[in-house]
Amino acid sequence: MATSETFIHPSFAFLAAALLLPLFRGRAWRGVILLLPPLLAVYAAFTNPHGEHLAVTWLGQTLTLGRLDALSGLFVQVFSIMSLAGLVFSLHVDDPAQHAAALLYVAGGLGAVLAGDYLTLFVCWEMMAVGSSFLVFMNRTRESVLAAFRYFLYHIFGGLFLLAGLVLRHKALGTFAFTALPGLTQGTAQIYDWLILAGFCVNAAVVPLHAWLPDAYPRGTVTGSVFMCAYTTKTAVYVLMRGFAGWEILAAAGTIMAVYGVLYASMENNARRILSYHIVSQVGYMVAGIGVGTYMTMNGAAAHAYAHILYKGLLFMSAGAVLYSSGTAKLDELGGLAGRLPWVMILYMVAALSISGMPVFNGFISKTMTIAGAAEAHRTLVALGLEVAAVGTFISVGLKLPYFAFWGGRPLDAKRALKPLPANMYVGMAILAVLCVAQGLRPEILYRYLPFALNEANHNLYEPWAPWNVFQALMLLGFSGLAFILMKNVITPHKALNLDFDWFYRLVGRACAKLVFRPCAGLDGFWNNVYQTAGLRFLKFFAGFTVFFDRWIIDGLVDNAARGVRGLGRLGARLQSGSLQQYLAMMMTFLALILALAWFG
């Protein structure tokens, strides 16, 4: 095991930058503080030795802050690269609080994938929830504030599931170590395993626990949504790979996610909402691969997570650039922008073709591995479901969104006022675009870091550029293009808000209103009437009685006693004259009174 002295934990740099950033007012200094942590993280991702590092004893528990192996190293690498591109993309933003939230969010994501125990994982899990909630809130609109509140509630409940599971697991096993127990399967799982799985599935946006994602991500800040598309769901993919590989329920859930996300993306009008639904769909590929659990599908899930972070970050950057420049991301309000935002259109198409699995781009070398692995494992329904989702992906992201945003059958949109894009936004997009193409052309750039070596012994040897794989991908994309031409008028964007499982949540809310809130409100109204009629009159009567008692009983006794004492005092003062004759007269009078009383008594 390597010594901790040679290990650099990247989260510490992001946390330090988040704390120091508000102290520096100059934009140049802020730029330095923003870029140092991701540069250090990228360096650490390629130089840190494997092993367990930074073991801390706390309250009798050993916490491992830095567990680095092939699996966690892959995610640390892509998280670090994405943090660099994302922070370059956001350098123009003059909002230290927003930058601090992004730094906290990235620190939580990196800390989660490096955590060797459930307690450290839980702390980093909640750190991500707090940072990402602020990235939605800081868009500072009524819709974003409400979405941030709903988003935070979702992740609070997910964190409670995780917390309950890890506490029960510790009670049963006596350890917080984050490892998959030997022989643990879906059939032998205990209640704490299912609770932990539920907490992970909330962050993975597994249907029907996914509604927070298309609700919050389109309402986040332009730069905040770029970070959010990369970390929360992919951290969940990592922990599912670490703890629940081979669970049948994940194979089914992932296939449903892949198809479900595509269907709703095809109906959406807002560009960022389309991309949000495609996060659900693409994470479905990863979850399905984890559920199948073979070396090839696990490698496919890991590779697709890596590729997805790059091209999805580029997609959100491009959509955010359109929103920043034009003021809207709604497709029915866009069109004809290809000539005025040509580089945004080109960079967007790099990402769109990547997510669609077009040869030359990185989605081709990752998505096809998962599908081929499912087919080789004789999981025909899973493979078919993922192929159907691939068709819908190209139709909605590769064709529909760019067609209506940049062309749409409209001439050059010369009348719309466009805000110039800062150069750093183009640089951030270019970093990810170059990586998307480089990995597509040279798959070994990515494959060398996969958790399971590609060889015959592992039964996961995969050649994406084999002629049949290329022909199959081109044939599928050609069919998708034909389908778009035939369905173009059907999937024309419209302004309506499409509800999916939000409808059920709202139904539950209305049911609660009828069964709980309204009866309580009725009881409150009844009690208010009782109070106004009987209670208020009784209080008035009681108040009048207390006034009478105070005035005539309390005040009467006290005041009269005080008057009597004062009168006696005055009389005593008058009698103290110092005259001997007066004192003798008073004495004789007093004796006469006593003799009279004795006589008549």
Side-chain angles (χ1 to χ4, degrees):
M1 182 184 299
T3 60
S4 299
E5 286 76 8
T6 62
F7 180 80
I8 301 173
H9 200 302
S11 293
F12 295 160
F14 285 96
L15 289 174
L19 294 173
L20 292 174
L21 192 65
L23 303 178
F24 293 85
R25 299 188 179 276
R27 181 169 292 187
W29 279 108
R30 286 179 184 169
V32 172
I33 294 174
L34 284 176
L35 294 182
L36 278 178
L39 290 171
L40 179 64
V42 171
Y43 171 78
F46 288 97
T47 59
N48 271 341
H50 285 193
E52 294 188 355
H53 311 276
L54 302 180
V56 178
T57 301
W58 181 69
L59 296 180
Q61 302 295 329
T62 300
L63 309 181
T64 304
L65 305 185
R67 176 180 55 190
L68 189 64
D69 54 19
L71 180 58
S72 59
L74 178 79
F75 282 85
V76 168
Q77 185 184 129
V78 69
F79 279 7
S80 302
I81 293 171
M82 183 62 209
S83 70
L84 177 61
L87 287 169
V88 169
F89 182 79
S90 61
L91 281 177
H92 65 283
V93 176
D94 189 16
D95 188 353
Q98 187 181 151
H99 289 309
L103 292 168
L104 178 67
Y105 182 43
V106 176
L110 288 166
V113 298
L114 286 170
D117 61 273
Y118 274 109
L119 282 180
T120 305
L121 173 65
F122 177 75
V123 172
C124 296
W125 202 259
E126 295 307 299
M127 195 185 302
M128 284 195 301
V130 173
S132 53
S133 296
F134 275 102
L135 289 176
V136 181
F137 173 78
M138 287 180 183
N139 204 18
R140 296 180 175 89
T141 65
R142 182 178 183 275
E143 292 77 11
S144 67
V145 170
L146 294 175
F149 178 72
R150 292 189 295 267
Y151 177 92
F152 189 67
L153 283 181
Y154 265 105
H155 289 281
I156 286 295
F157 281 115
L160 290 176
F161 279 123
L162 177 58
L163 180 61
L166 68 90
V167 169
L168 292 176
R169 186 178 186 272
H170 179 268
K171 181 179 179 181
L173 304 178
T175 179
F176 284 115
F178 180 29
T179 55
L181 297 177
L184 177 63
T185 63
Q186 184 173 322
T188 61
Q190 303 299 316
I191 182 64
Y192 50 79
D193 295 311
W194 290 105
L195 287 172
I196 293 172
L197 178 64
F200 290 166
C201 286
V202 170
N203 275 28
V206 172
V207 177
L209 306 174
H210 69 289
W212 57 268
L213 197 157
D215 178 43
Y217 283 23
R219 294 183 171 96
T221 64
V222 168
T223 56
S225 293
V226 170
F227 290 100
M228 293 171 68
C229 76
Y231 290 92
T232 298
T233 50
K234 262 59 74 183
T235 303
V237 168
Y238 164 78
V239 293
L240 289 173
M241 292 185 70
R242 177 72 71 181
F244 297 93
W247 284 43
E248 179 63 28
I249 191 172
L250 293 179
T255 306
I256 293 171
M257 290 172 65
V259 177
Y260 189 91
V262 159
L263 290 176
Y264 268 88
S266 300
M267 297 185 290
E268 284 299 331
N269 178 37
N270 187 295
R272 296 203 297 174
R273 193 167 168 88
I274 291 174
L275 299 178
S276 298
Y277 271 113
H278 270 288
I279 295 177
V280 177
S281 178
Q282 296 299 301
V283 172
Y285 282 83
M286 307 166 208
V287 173
I290 295 168
V292 174
T294 65
Y295 284 157
M296 183 177 290
T297 59
M298 292 284 285
N299 270 350
H304 202 48
Y306 196 118
H308 180 267
I309 289 173
L310 299 181
Y311 63 64
K312 184 61 70 174
L314 180 54
L315 286 170
F316 266 90
M317 286 179 179
S318 304
V322 172
L323 174 60
Y324 177 90
S325 181
S326 67
T328 183
K330 297 179 179 179
L331 299 186
D332 64 314
E333 300 175 3
L334 294 171
L337 293 177
R340 301 187 64 188
L341 295 173
W343 283 109
V344 174
M345 183 267 295
I346 293 171
L347 292 167
Y348 172 85
M349 289 308 302
V350 170
L353 295 175
S354 296
I355 193 175
S356 302
M358 175 72 75
V360 177
F361 302 96
N362 62 354
F364 168 68
I365 70 167
S366 62
K367 180 185 296 187
T368 51
M369 182 187 294
T370 305
I371 297 173
E376 286 191 9
H378 306 291
R379 306 301 300 276
T380 306
L381 291 178
V382 174
L384 287 176
L386 300 183
E387 289 281 19
V388 170
V391 173
T393 298
F394 185 50
I395 290 175
S396 55
V397 177
L399 297 173
K400 172 187 172 179
L401 196 157
Y403 175 78
F404 288 106
F406 297 108
W407 295 283
R410 302 179 187 180
L412 178 66
D413 189 354
K415 296 182 179 180
R416 181 186 296 274
L418 297 181
K419 185 189 299 185
L421 294 176
N424 62 282
M425 295 180 76
Y426 286 110
V427 174
M429 290 188 282
I431 292 172
L432 298 183
V434 168
L435 290 173
C436 288
V437 176
Q439 290 180 350
L441 292 174
R442 299 292 300 273
E444 63 273 13
I445 295 176
L446 174 57
Y447 284 178
R448 74 177 67 176
Y449 298 107
L450 294 179
F452 304 103
L454 298 176
N455 53 48
E456 292 289 350
N458 287 334
H459 303 286
N460 67 340
L461 191 61
Y462 182 72
E463 293 290 344
W465 282 99
W468 168 247
N469 291 331
V470 175
F471 175 73
Q472 187 181 23
L474 293 175
M475 185 171 56
L476 190 68
L477 294 172
F479 172 77
S480 303
L482 177 61
F484 174 76
I485 293 173
L486 297 176
M487 297 172 57
K488 184 172 62 176
N489 295 329
V490 177
I491 61 175
T492 299
H494 56 281
K495 291 182 179 295
L497 176 65
N498 298 311
L499 295 177
D500 55 6
F501 273 88
D502 284 6
W503 185 87
F504 292 101
Y505 302 147
R506 297 184 185 203
L507 180 64
V508 171
R510 288 193 291 268
C512 289
K514 292 181 179 179
L515 298 176
V516 179
F517 303 142
R518 289 180 184 174
C520 290
L523 180 61
D524 180 69
F526 171 76
W527 174 250
N528 187 50
N529 292 332
V530 171
Y531 171 76
Q532 288 181 349
T533 55
L536 193 58
R537 291 180 181 177
F538 172 76
L539 288 177
K540 288 181 178 179
F541 170 77
F542 184 74
F545 173 76
T546 56
V547 170
F548 169 80
F549 186 81
D550 177 71
R551 179 178 298 175
W552 297 103
I553 304 300
I554 302 298
D555 290 348
L557 290 175
V558 174
D559 292 348
N560 290 332
R563 291 189 187 99
V565 171
R566 185 177 61 181
L568 291 174
R570 288 177 178 175
L571 178 61
R574 290 179 180 177
L575 294 176
Q576 298 296 324
S577 61
S579 173
L580 181 60
Q581 293 85 348
Q582 186 175 347
Y583 290 158
L584 290 173
M586 290 170 55
M587 183 183 299
M588 294 302 295
T589 303
F590 182 70
L591 289 174
L593 288 174
I594 292 176
L595 290 173
L597 289 173
W599 177 262
F600 291 105

